[in-house]
Structure formats: structure tokens, C-alpha cells
Coordinates of all heavy atoms in Angstrom, one line a residue:
G1 N 0.8 -1.2 0.0 CA 0.0 0.0 0.0 C 0.9 1.3 0.0 O 2.1 1.2 -0.1
V2 N 0.2 2.4 0.2 CA 0.8 3.7 0.1 C 1.8 3.8 1.3 O 2.9 4.4 1.1 CB -0.2 4.8 0.1 CG1 0.4 6.2 0.3 CG2 -1.1 4.7 -1.1
G3 N 1.5 3.3 2.5 CA 2.4 3.4 3.6 C 3.7 2.7 3.4 O 4.7 3.2 3.7
L4 N 3.6 1.5 2.8 CA 4.8 0.7 2.5 C 5.6 1.4 1.4 O 6.9 1.5 1.5 CB 4.4 -0.7 2.1 CG 5.6 -1.6 1.7 CD1 6.6 -1.7 2.8 CD2 5.1 -2.9 1.2
E5 N 5.0 2.0 0.4 CA 5.7 2.7 -0.6 C 6.4 3.9 -0.1 O 7.6 4.1 -0.4 CB 4.6 3.1 -1.7 CG 5.3 3.6 -3.0 CD 4.2 3.7 -4.0 OE1 3.9 2.6 -4.7 OE2 3.7 4.8 -4.3
R6 N 5.7 4.7 0.8 CA 6.4 5.8 1.4 C 7.6 5.4 2.2 O 8.6 6.0 2.2 CB 5.4 6.6 2.2 CG 6.0 7.9 2.8 CD 4.9 8.8 3.4 NE 4.3 9.6 2.4 CZ 4.3 10.9 2.3 NH1 4.9 11.6 3.3 NH2 3.8 11.5 1.4
A7 N 7.4 4.3 3.0 CA 8.6 3.8 3.8 C 9.7 3.4 2.9 O 10.9 3.7 3.2 CB 8.1 2.6 4.6
R8 N 9.4 2.8 1.7 CA 10.5 2.5 0.8 C 11.2 3.8 0.3 O 12.4 3.8 0.2 CB 10.0 1.7 -0.4 CG 9.6 0.3 -0.1 CD 9.1 -0.4 -1.3 NE 8.7 -1.7 -1.0 CZ 7.9 -2.4 -1.8 NH1 7.5 -2.0 -3.0 NH2 7.6 -3.7 -1.5
F9 N 10.4 4.8 -0.1 CA 11.0 6.1 -0.5 C 11.9 6.6 0.6 O 13.0 7.1 0.3 CB 9.9 7.1 -0.8 CG 9.1 6.9 -2.0 CD1 7.8 7.2 -2.0 CD2 9.7 6.5 -3.2 CE1 7.0 7.1 -3.1 CE2 8.9 6.4 -4.4 CZ 7.6 6.6 -4.3
L10 N 11.4 6.7 1.8 CA 12.2 7.2 2.9 C 13.5 6.5 3.1 O 14.6 7.1 3.2 CB 11.4 7.2 4.2 CG 10.1 8.1 4.2 CD1 9.4 7.9 5.5 CD2 10.4 9.6 4.0
L11 N 13.4 5.2 3.1 CA 14.6 4.4 3.3 C 15.6 4.5 2.1 O 16.8 4.8 2.3 CB 14.3 2.9 3.5 CG 15.5 2.0 3.7 CD1 16.3 2.3 4.9 CD2 15.0 0.5 3.7
A12 N 15.1 4.4 0.9 CA 16.0 4.5 -0.2 C 16.7 5.9 -0.3 O 17.9 6.0 -0.5 CB 15.2 4.3 -1.5
F13 N 15.9 6.9 -0.1 CA 16.5 8.3 -0.1 C 17.5 8.5 1.0 O 18.6 9.0 0.8 CB 15.3 9.3 0.0 CG 15.7 10.7 -0.3 CD1 15.5 11.2 -1.6 CD2 16.3 11.6 0.6 CE1 15.8 12.5 -2.0 CE2 16.6 12.9 0.2 CZ 16.4 13.3 -1.1
R14 N 17.2 8.0 2.2 CA 18.1 8.2 3.3 C 19.4 7.4 3.1 O 20.5 7.9 3.4 CB 17.4 7.8 4.6 CG 18.2 8.1 5.9 CD 17.5 7.9 7.2 NE 16.9 6.6 7.3 CZ 17.5 5.5 7.7 NH1 18.7 5.5 8.1 NH2 16.8 4.3 7.8
L15 N 19.3 6.2 2.6 CA 20.5 5.5 2.3 C 21.4 6.1 1.2 O 22.6 6.0 1.3 CB 20.1 4.0 1.9 CG 19.6 3.1 3.0 CD1 19.1 1.8 2.4 CD2 20.6 2.9 4.1
C16 N 20.7 6.8 0.3 CA 21.5 7.4 -0.8 C 22.1 8.8 -0.4 O 23.2 9.0 -0.8 CB 20.6 7.6 -2.0 SG 20.3 6.0 -2.9
V17 N 21.4 9.6 0.3 CA 21.9 10.9 0.5 C 22.1 11.3 2.0 O 22.5 12.4 2.3 CB 21.0 12.0 -0.2 CG1 21.0 11.8 -1.7 CG2 19.6 12.0 0.4
G18 N 21.7 10.3 2.9 CA 22.0 10.5 4.3 C 21.1 11.5 5.0 O 21.4 11.9 6.1
R19 N 19.9 11.7 4.5 CA 18.9 12.5 5.1 C 17.5 12.1 4.6 O 17.4 11.4 3.6 CB 19.1 14.0 4.9 CG 18.9 14.4 3.4 CD 18.9 15.9 3.2 NE 18.8 16.2 1.8 CZ 17.7 16.3 1.1 NH1 16.5 16.1 1.7 NH2 17.6 16.7 -0.2
L20 N 16.5 12.5 5.4 CA 15.2 12.2 4.9 C 14.8 13.2 3.8 O 15.2 14.3 3.9 CB 14.2 12.3 6.1 CG 14.4 11.2 7.1 CD1 13.4 11.4 8.3 CD2 14.1 9.8 6.5
P21 N 13.9 12.8 2.9 CA 13.5 13.7 1.9 C 12.4 14.7 2.4 O 11.7 14.4 3.4 CB 12.8 12.8 0.8 CG 12.4 11.6 1.6 CD 13.4 11.4 2.7
T22 N 12.3 15.8 1.8 CA 11.3 16.8 2.1 C 10.0 16.2 1.6 O 10.0 15.3 0.7 CB 11.6 18.1 1.5 OG1 11.5 18.0 0.1 CG2 12.9 18.7 2.0
E23 N 8.9 16.8 2.0 CA 7.6 16.4 1.4 C 7.5 16.7 -0.1 O 6.9 15.9 -0.8 CB 6.4 17.1 2.1 CG 6.1 16.6 3.5 CD 5.7 15.1 3.5 OE1 4.8 14.7 2.6 OE2 6.1 14.3 4.3
A24 N 8.1 17.7 -0.5 CA 8.1 18.0 -2.0 C 8.9 17.0 -2.7 O 8.5 16.5 -3.8 CB 8.8 19.4 -2.2
E25 N 10.0 16.5 -2.1 CA 10.8 15.5 -2.8 C 10.1 14.1 -2.8 O 10.1 13.4 -3.8 CB 12.2 15.3 -2.0 CG 13.1 16.5 -2.3 CD 14.3 16.5 -1.3 OE1 14.2 16.0 -0.2 OE2 15.4 17.0 -1.8
I26 N 9.3 13.9 -1.7 CA 8.5 12.6 -1.7 C 7.4 12.7 -2.8 O 7.2 11.7 -3.5 CB 7.9 12.4 -0.3 CG1 9.0 12.1 0.7 CG2 6.8 11.3 -0.4 CD1 8.5 12.0 2.1
R27 N 6.8 13.8 -2.9 CA 5.8 14.0 -4.0 C 6.4 13.8 -5.4 O 5.8 13.1 -6.2 CB 5.1 15.3 -3.9 CG 4.1 15.4 -2.8 CD 3.2 16.7 -2.9 NE 4.0 17.9 -2.8 CZ 4.4 18.5 -1.7 NH1 4.1 18.0 -0.5 NH2 5.1 19.6 -1.8
S28 N 7.6 14.3 -5.6 CA 8.3 14.1 -6.8 C 8.6 12.7 -7.1 O 8.4 12.2 -8.2 CB 9.6 15.0 -6.9 OG 9.3 16.3 -6.9
L29 N 9.1 12.0 -6.1 CA 9.4 10.6 -6.2 C 8.1 9.7 -6.5 O 8.1 8.8 -7.3 CB 10.1 10.0 -4.9 CG 11.5 10.5 -4.6 CD1 11.9 10.1 -3.3 CD2 12.4 10.0 -5.7
E30 N 7.0 10.1 -5.8 CA 5.8 9.4 -6.0 C 5.3 9.6 -7.5 O 4.9 8.6 -8.1 CB 4.7 9.9 -5.1 CG 4.9 9.4 -3.6 CD 4.0 10.1 -2.6 OE1 3.5 11.2 -2.9 OE2 3.9 9.5 -1.5
K31 N 5.4 10.8 -8.0 CA 5.0 11.1 -9.4 C 5.9 10.3 -10.3 O 5.5 9.7 -11.3 CB 5.0 12.5 -9.7 CG 4.6 12.8 -11.1 CD 4.5 14.3 -11.5 CE 4.0 14.5 -12.9 NZ 4.2 13.5 -13.9
L32 N 7.2 10.4 -10.1 CA 8.2 9.7 -10.9 C 7.9 8.2 -11.0 O 7.9 7.6 -12.0 CB 9.6 9.9 -10.4 CG 10.7 9.2 -11.2 CD1 10.7 9.5 -12.7 CD2 12.1 9.4 -10.6
L33 N 7.6 7.6 -9.8 CA 7.3 6.1 -9.8 C 6.1 5.8 -10.5 O 6.0 4.8 -11.3 CB 7.2 5.6 -8.3 CG 7.0 4.2 -8.2 CD1 8.2 3.4 -8.8 CD2 6.8 3.8 -6.7
A34 N 5.1 6.7 -10.4 CA 3.8 6.4 -11.2 C 4.1 6.5 -12.7 O 3.6 5.7 -13.4 CB 2.8 7.5 -10.8
D35 N 4.9 7.5 -13.1 CA 5.2 7.6 -14.5 C 6.1 6.4 -15.0 O 5.9 5.9 -16.1 CB 6.0 8.9 -14.8 CG 5.2 10.2 -14.6 OD1 3.9 10.1 -14.5 OD2 5.8 11.3 -14.5
L36 N 7.0 6.0 -14.1 CA 7.8 4.8 -14.5 C 7.0 3.5 -14.6 O 7.3 2.7 -15.5 CB 9.0 4.7 -13.5 CG 10.0 5.7 -13.5 CD1 10.9 5.6 -12.3 CD2 10.8 5.7 -14.8
R37 N 6.0 3.4 -13.7 CA 5.1 2.2 -13.8 C 4.4 2.2 -15.1 O 4.2 1.2 -15.7 CB 4.2 2.2 -12.6 CG 4.8 1.8 -11.3 CD 3.8 1.9 -10.2 NE 4.3 1.3 -9.0 CZ 4.0 1.7 -7.7 NH1 3.2 2.8 -7.6 NH2 4.5 1.1 -6.7
T38 N 3.9 3.4 -15.5 CA 3.1 3.5 -16.7 C 4.0 3.1 -17.9 O 3.6 2.4 -18.8 CB 2.6 4.9 -16.9 OG1 1.7 5.2 -15.8 CG2 1.8 5.1 -18.2
L39 N 5.2 3.7 -17.9 CA 6.1 3.4 -19.0 C 6.5 1.9 -19.1 O 6.5 1.3 -20.1 CB 7.4 4.3 -18.8 CG 8.5 4.2 -19.9 CD1 7.9 4.7 -21.2 CD2 9.7 5.0 -19.4
A40 N 6.8 1.3 -17.9 CA 7.1 -0.1 -17.9 C 5.9 -1.0 -18.3 O 6.1 -2.0 -19.0 CB 7.6 -0.5 -16.5
A41 N 4.7 -0.6 -18.0 CA 3.5 -1.3 -18.4 C 3.3 -1.2 -19.9 O 2.8 -2.2 -20.6 CB 2.3 -0.8 -17.7
Q42 N 3.7 -0.1 -20.5 CA 3.5 0.1 -21.9 C 4.6 -0.6 -22.7 O 4.5 -0.8 -23.9 CB 3.6 1.6 -22.2 CG 2.4 2.4 -21.7 CD 2.6 3.9 -21.9 OE1 3.7 4.4 -22.1 NE2 1.5 4.6 -21.7
H43 N 5.7 -1.0 -22.0 CA 6.8 -1.6 -22.7 C 7.2 -2.9 -21.9 O 8.3 -2.9 -21.4 CB 8.0 -0.7 -22.9 CG 7.7 0.6 -23.6 ND1 7.6 0.6 -25.0 CD2 7.3 1.8 -23.3 CE1 7.3 1.8 -25.4 NE2 7.1 2.5 -24.4
P44 N 6.4 -3.9 -21.9 CA 6.7 -5.1 -21.1 C 7.9 -5.8 -21.5 O 8.6 -6.4 -20.7 CB 5.4 -6.0 -21.3 CG 4.7 -5.4 -22.5 CD 5.1 -4.0 -22.6
E45 N 8.3 -5.7 -22.8 CA 9.5 -6.4 -23.3 C 10.7 -5.8 -22.6 O 11.7 -6.5 -22.3 CB 9.6 -6.4 -24.8 CG 9.8 -5.0 -25.4 CD 8.6 -4.0 -25.4 OE1 7.5 -4.4 -25.1 OE2 8.9 -2.8 -25.7
S46 N 10.7 -4.5 -22.4 CA 11.8 -3.8 -21.7 C 11.8 -4.1 -20.2 O 12.8 -4.3 -19.6 CB 11.8 -2.3 -22.0 OG 12.0 -2.0 -23.3
A47 N 10.6 -4.1 -19.7 CA 10.5 -4.4 -18.2 C 11.0 -5.8 -17.9 O 11.6 -6.0 -16.8 CB 9.0 -4.2 -17.8
A48 N 10.8 -6.7 -18.8 CA 11.3 -8.1 -18.6 C 12.8 -8.2 -18.4 O 13.3 -9.1 -17.9 CB 10.8 -9.0 -19.7
L49 N 13.5 -7.1 -18.9 CA 15.0 -7.1 -18.8 C 15.4 -6.9 -17.3 O 16.6 -6.9 -17.1 CB 15.6 -6.1 -19.7 CG 15.3 -6.3 -21.2 CD1 15.8 -5.1 -22.0 CD2 15.9 -7.6 -21.7
A50 N 14.5 -6.7 -16.4 CA 14.8 -6.4 -15.0 C 15.5 -7.7 -14.4 O 16.2 -7.6 -13.4 CB 13.6 -6.1 -14.2
G51 N 15.4 -8.8 -15.1 CA 16.1 -10.0 -14.6 C 15.2 -10.9 -13.9 O 14.0 -10.8 -13.8
K52 N 15.8 -11.9 -13.2 CA 15.1 -12.9 -12.5 C 14.5 -12.3 -11.2 O 15.3 -11.6 -10.5 CB 16.0 -14.1 -12.1 CG 15.2 -15.2 -11.5 CD 16.1 -16.4 -11.2 CE 15.2 -17.5 -10.5 NZ 16.0 -18.7 -10.3
L53 N 13.2 -12.4 -11.0 CA 12.6 -11.7 -9.9 C 12.0 -12.8 -9.0 O 11.7 -13.9 -9.4 CB 11.5 -10.8 -10.4 CG 11.9 -9.8 -11.4 CD1 10.7 -9.1 -12.0 CD2 12.8 -8.7 -10.7
P54 N 11.8 -12.4 -7.7 CA 11.1 -13.3 -6.8 C 9.7 -13.6 -7.3 O 9.1 -12.8 -7.9 CB 11.1 -12.5 -5.5 CG 12.1 -11.5 -5.6 CD 12.2 -11.2 -7.1
A55 N 9.2 -14.7 -6.9 CA 7.8 -15.1 -7.3 C 6.8 -14.0 -6.8 O 6.9 -13.5 -5.7 CB 7.4 -16.4 -6.6
G56 N 5.9 -13.7 -7.7 CA 4.9 -12.7 -7.4 C 5.2 -11.2 -7.7 O 4.4 -10.4 -7.5
V57 N 6.5 -11.0 -8.0 CA 6.9 -9.6 -8.3 C 6.8 -9.3 -9.8 O 7.5 -9.9 -10.6 CB 8.4 -9.3 -7.8 CG1 8.8 -7.9 -8.2 CG2 8.5 -9.6 -6.4
P58 N 5.8 -8.5 -10.2 CA 5.7 -8.2 -11.6 C 6.9 -7.5 -12.2 O 7.5 -6.6 -11.5 CB 4.5 -7.3 -11.7 CG 3.8 -7.4 -10.3 CD 4.9 -7.8 -9.4
A59 N 7.3 -7.8 -13.4 CA 8.5 -7.2 -14.0 C 8.3 -5.7 -14.2 O 9.3 -5.0 -14.0 CB 8.7 -7.9 -15.4
A60 N 7.1 -5.2 -14.5 CA 6.9 -3.8 -14.6 C 7.1 -3.1 -13.3 O 7.7 -2.0 -13.3 CB 5.5 -3.5 -15.2
E61 N 6.7 -3.6 -12.2 CA 6.9 -3.0 -10.9 C 8.4 -3.0 -10.6 O 8.9 -2.0 -10.1 CB 6.1 -3.8 -9.8 CG 6.2 -3.2 -8.5 CD 5.5 -1.9 -8.3 OE1 4.8 -1.4 -9.2 OE2 5.6 -1.3 -7.2
A62 N 9.1 -4.1 -10.8 CA 10.5 -4.2 -10.5 C 11.3 -3.2 -11.4 O 12.2 -2.5 -10.9 CB 11.0 -5.6 -10.7
A63 N 10.9 -3.1 -12.6 CA 11.6 -2.2 -13.5 C 11.4 -0.7 -13.1 O 12.3 0.1 -13.2 CB 11.1 -2.4 -15.0
A64 N 10.2 -0.4 -12.6 CA 9.9 1.0 -12.2 C 10.8 1.3 -11.0 O 11.4 2.4 -10.9 CB 8.4 1.1 -11.9
W65 N 10.9 0.4 -10.0 CA 11.7 0.7 -8.8 C 13.2 0.7 -9.1 O 13.9 1.5 -8.5 CB 11.4 -0.4 -7.7 CG 10.1 0.0 -6.9 CD1 8.9 -0.5 -7.1 CD2 10.1 0.9 -5.8 NE1 8.0 0.1 -6.2 CE2 8.7 1.0 -5.4 CE3 11.0 1.7 -5.2 CZ2 8.3 1.8 -4.4 CZ3 10.5 2.5 -4.1 CH2 9.2 2.5 -3.8
I66 N 13.6 -0.1 -10.0 CA 15.0 -0.1 -10.5 C 15.3 1.3 -11.1 O 16.4 1.9 -10.7 CB 15.3 -1.2 -11.4 CG1 15.3 -2.6 -10.7 CG2 16.7 -1.0 -12.1 CD1 15.3 -3.8 -11.6
A67 N 14.5 1.8 -11.9 CA 14.7 3.1 -12.5 C 14.7 4.2 -11.5 O 15.5 5.1 -11.5 CB 13.6 3.3 -13.6
L68 N 13.8 4.1 -10.5 CA 13.7 5.1 -9.4 C 15.0 5.0 -8.6 O 15.6 6.1 -8.3 CB 12.6 4.8 -8.5 CG 12.4 5.8 -7.4 CD1 11.8 7.1 -7.9 CD2 11.6 5.3 -6.3
A69 N 15.5 3.8 -8.3 CA 16.8 3.7 -7.6 C 18.0 4.3 -8.4 O 18.8 5.0 -7.8 CB 17.1 2.2 -7.3
R70 N 18.0 4.1 -9.7 CA 19.0 4.7 -10.5 C 19.0 6.2 -10.5 O 20.0 6.9 -10.5 CB 18.9 4.2 -11.9 CG 19.3 2.7 -12.1 CD 19.2 2.3 -13.5 NE 19.7 0.9 -13.6 CZ 19.7 0.2 -14.7 NH1 19.1 0.7 -15.8 NH2 20.2 -1.0 -14.7
T71 N 17.7 6.7 -10.4 CA 17.6 8.2 -10.3 C 18.2 8.7 -9.0 O 18.9 9.7 -9.0 CB 16.1 8.5 -10.4 OG1 15.6 8.1 -11.7 CG2 15.9 10.0 -10.3
L72 N 17.9 8.0 -7.9 CA 18.4 8.4 -6.6 C 20.0 8.4 -6.7 O 20.6 9.2 -6.1 CB 17.9 7.6 -5.5 CG 16.4 7.7 -5.2 CD1 15.9 6.7 -4.2 CD2 16.1 9.1 -4.7
L73 N 20.5 7.3 -7.3 CA 22.0 7.2 -7.3 C 22.6 8.2 -8.2 O 23.8 8.4 -8.1 CB 22.3 5.8 -7.8 CG 21.9 4.6 -6.8 CD1 22.1 3.3 -7.5 CD2 22.7 4.7 -5.5
N74 N 21.9 8.9 -9.0 CA 22.4 9.9 -9.9 C 22.2 11.3 -9.4 O 22.5 12.3 -10.1 CB 21.8 9.8 -11.3 CG 22.6 8.7 -12.1 OD1 23.8 8.8 -12.4 ND2 21.9 7.6 -12.4
L75 N 21.6 11.5 -8.2 CA 21.4 12.8 -7.6 C 22.8 13.4 -7.3 O 23.7 12.7 -6.9 CB 20.6 12.7 -6.3 CG 19.1 12.3 -6.5 CD1 18.5 12.1 -5.1 CD2 18.4 13.4 -7.2
D76 N 22.9 14.7 -7.5 CA 24.1 15.4 -7.2 C 24.5 15.2 -5.7 O 25.7 15.1 -5.4 CB 24.0 16.9 -7.5 CG 24.1 17.2 -8.9 OD1 24.7 16.4 -9.7 OD2 23.7 18.3 -9.3
E77 N 23.5 15.1 -4.9 CA 23.8 14.9 -3.5 C 24.4 13.5 -3.2 O 25.1 13.4 -2.2 CB 22.5 15.0 -2.7 CG 22.3 16.2 -1.8 CD 21.0 16.2 -1.0 OE1 20.0 16.5 -1.7 OE2 21.1 16.0 0.2
F78 N 24.1 12.6 -4.0 CA 24.7 11.2 -3.8 C 26.1 11.1 -4.3 O 27.0 10.5 -3.7 CB 23.8 10.2 -4.5 CG 24.4 8.8 -4.4 CD1 24.2 8.0 -3.3 CD2 25.1 8.2 -5.5 CE1 24.8 6.8 -3.2 CE2 25.7 7.0 -5.4 CZ 25.5 6.2 -4.2
I79 N 26.4 11.8 -5.4 CA 27.7 11.6 -6.1 C 28.7 12.4 -5.3 O 28.5 13.6 -5.0 CB 27.6 12.1 -7.6 CG1 26.6 11.3 -8.3 CG2 28.9 12.1 -8.3 CD1 26.2 11.8 -9.7
T80 N 29.8 11.8 -5.0 CA 30.9 12.5 -4.4 C 31.8 13.2 -5.4 O 32.2 12.6 -6.3 CB 31.8 11.5 -3.6 OG1 31.0 10.8 -2.7 CG2 32.9 12.2 -2.8
R81 N 32.0 14.5 -5.2 CA 32.8 15.3 -6.1 C 33.9 15.9 -5.3 O 33.8 16.4 -4.2 CB 32.0 16.3 -6.8 CG 30.9 15.7 -7.6 CD 30.0 16.8 -8.2 NE 28.9 16.1 -8.9 CZ 28.3 16.5 -10.0 NH1 28.8 17.6 -10.6 NH2 27.3 15.9 -10.5
E82 N 35.1 16.0 -6.0 CA 36.2 16.6 -5.3 C 36.4 18.0 -5.9 O 36.1 18.4 -6.9 CB 37.5 15.8 -5.5 CG 37.3 14.5 -4.8 CD 38.6 13.6 -4.9 OE1 39.7 14.2 -4.9 OE2 38.5 12.4 -5.1

């Protein structure tokens, strides 16, 4: 549900940047995930490239979360720069 999804956002964001996201950042992540789910559902052949998944995990859902994780890992706040 929504509570579990929000908990995932909070954990993923905190692990990547070392702080909790603002409400605005959470709303952005929620919209991005919804858009990624739509995109993955429209392109199931690409979503299937997510690899071997646990039983019951739809490829489109996994692909959307993988793309969201990649987005977090590409935030300027995550990347260490000298």
C-alpha cells in the first residue's frame, strides 16, 4: 500500500543521501514512480529485462523501482565530487 511505498521512498532516499526527503521530494518521487510504472507497463518487453525476480513480483513493478533507484543514485547529493 501507500504506507509501505512511502517507507521505501524514505529508506532509499536516506540510504542514498544521508537525510530524509522533504515532502516536496517525496511527492516528486511518487510522481516519478507512477510515470515509471506506466512506462514499464507500456513496454513489457523492456520491463522483462529487469532480470530474475522473486515469485509474485511483476516485471513492470521491478523495472519501475530499479529506474527510481538509479535516479536516486544519480542525484548530485549522492555523487561524491572533489
Side-chain angles (χ1 to χ4, degrees):
V2 174
L4 177 60
E5 193 166 276
R6 183 169 277 240
R8 285 181 183 165
F9 287 141
L10 296 175
L11 178 61
F13 196 93
R14 189 170 51 86
L15 289 172
C16 286
V17 299
R19 66 173 176 83
L20 292 175
T22 64
E23 283 299 316
E25 289 167 330
I26 291 172
R27 284 191 301 275
S28 292
L29 291 172
E30 289 170 337
K31 181 176 181 342
L32 176 60
L33 183 61
D35 292 346
L36 291 168
R37 283 178 172 145
T38 299
L39 185 62
Q42 291 171 345
H43 301 280
E45 68 288 349
S46 294
L49 298 174
K52 185 175 179 178
L53 302 171
V57 176
E61 183 70 6
W65 277 98
I66 289 168
L68 183 78
R70 288 180 175 173
T71 300
L72 292 174
L73 293 172
N74 280 295
L75 292 173
D76 282 341
E77 251 181 285
F78 176 80
I79 299 169
T80 304
R81 298 178 187 216
E82 294 183 36

